[in-house]
Structure formats: C-alpha cells, structure tokens
Amino acid sequence: MYGDAETVRRILTGTGDTWAVVGLSSNRGRAAYGVAQVLQRFGKRIVPVHPKAETVHGEQGYASLADIPFDVDVVDVFVNSEQAGQVADEAVAKGAKAVWFQLGVVDEAAYERTRTAGLEMVMDRCPAIEIPRLGQDPSGI
C-alpha cells in the first residue's frame, strides 16, 4: 500500500482544499468526472487539467499544471501509469503539497521522487472511496 490510513486522512482533511484533477474533462463516462464531483461535495475546489482546458463542474480548466495561475494543494492524477511520473514531477515543480495517484496508477520511482521532494503521496487509491471511510461524507455515498 502506498499511503497509509493516516496519510490518506491528512491529505483529505488537512492538506488544503484546492485539488488539480489531471485528466478531468467533460466526459461524464470517465472516472475523473464522478470523483471530481465527490471532491466538490466534500468541500474541495477542483481544477480541471486536460489538454482541452474545458470548464468542468463550473470550474475553469487548464491545459497543464504549469498553466494554473494560482497555488494548488493536491494533484489528483487520472492518467496512465506511463505518464503519471511526469505529472508527479510537475506537481513538485508547481509547489503542490501532495500527489494522489488514482486506482490502477502506479509508478514506484515517481512515488519515491515525490516523497523525497517532501510531498505527501498516495498511490493506487481513490478519494471517492476513502472519503466515506473518514466518517465525514456529506453526500451519502
């Protein structure tokens, strides 16, 4: 497991409320779309990051993390494992406090680099699954 229960809790409740969701588009059939909704219901501001830079769930999208003109606290990664390491490196460069790789997204080298850079990290987990486990889920999931 990459990210124990306490790390998950810290990222979800104490790391900050601005989450860049990399891979989030207006495609309702993609997991990122539904997870971003759950994050919003949990009180997080989501920032869509996708090459199309679409507005999703009422939030302006950006083509890359570097294009976001404000700080982000957590970078939630919905790209494949081969691309995830680059996104983690961009999150470090952006000054994020934490990186979250979604279910099925695994890059052990990126995990080590990100942790060495001082960021919290969770890998191969989903915040939409973890939020109800906190006992604070307002959405009735």
Side-chain angles (χ1 to χ4, degrees):
M1 226 7 126
Y2 297 95
D4 59 38
E6 188 51 38
T7 301
V8 168
R9 179 177 291 282
R10 262 194 318 273
I11 292 173
L12 288 172
T13 64
T15 300
D17 291 333
T18 302
W19 285 51
V21 184
V22 179
L24 175 57
S25 71
S26 61
N27 183 343
R28 294 172 180 262
R30 304 289 300 193
Y33 190 89
V35 171
Q37 279 185 311
V38 171
L39 287 167
Q40 279 187 319
R41 287 195 306 259
F42 191 61
K44 305 301 180 189
R45 176 186 183 191
I46 57 108
V47 182
V49 179
H50 189 278
K52 293 181 182 178
E54 298 173 298
T55 296
V56 183
H57 301 309
E59 293 287 348
Q60 169 64 49
Y62 297 90
S64 71
L65 286 174
D67 290 342
I68 301 172
F70 48 84
D71 292 340
V72 297
D73 300 308
V74 180
V75 176
D76 190 5
V77 181
F78 279 93
V79 299
N80 65 44
S81 297
E82 291 75 31
Q83 297 174 317
Q86 178 181 338
V87 175
D89 295 340
E90 292 170 7
V92 170
K94 178 71 179 161
K97 299 173 190 168
V99 175
W100 190 299
F101 281 8
Q102 284 293 323
L103 288 172
V105 180
V106 176
D107 182 331
E108 292 179 6
Y111 182 86
E112 292 304 321
R113 286 193 313 273
T114 304
R115 296 290 296 132
T116 298
L119 282 69
E120 297 259 39
M121 186 159 179
V122 171
M123 186 163 65
D124 196 25
R125 307 271 291 264
C126 179
I129 294 170
E130 301 300 331
I131 287 169
R133 294 178 180 166
L134 297 174
Q136 303 174 6
D137 180 31
S139 65
I141 295 172

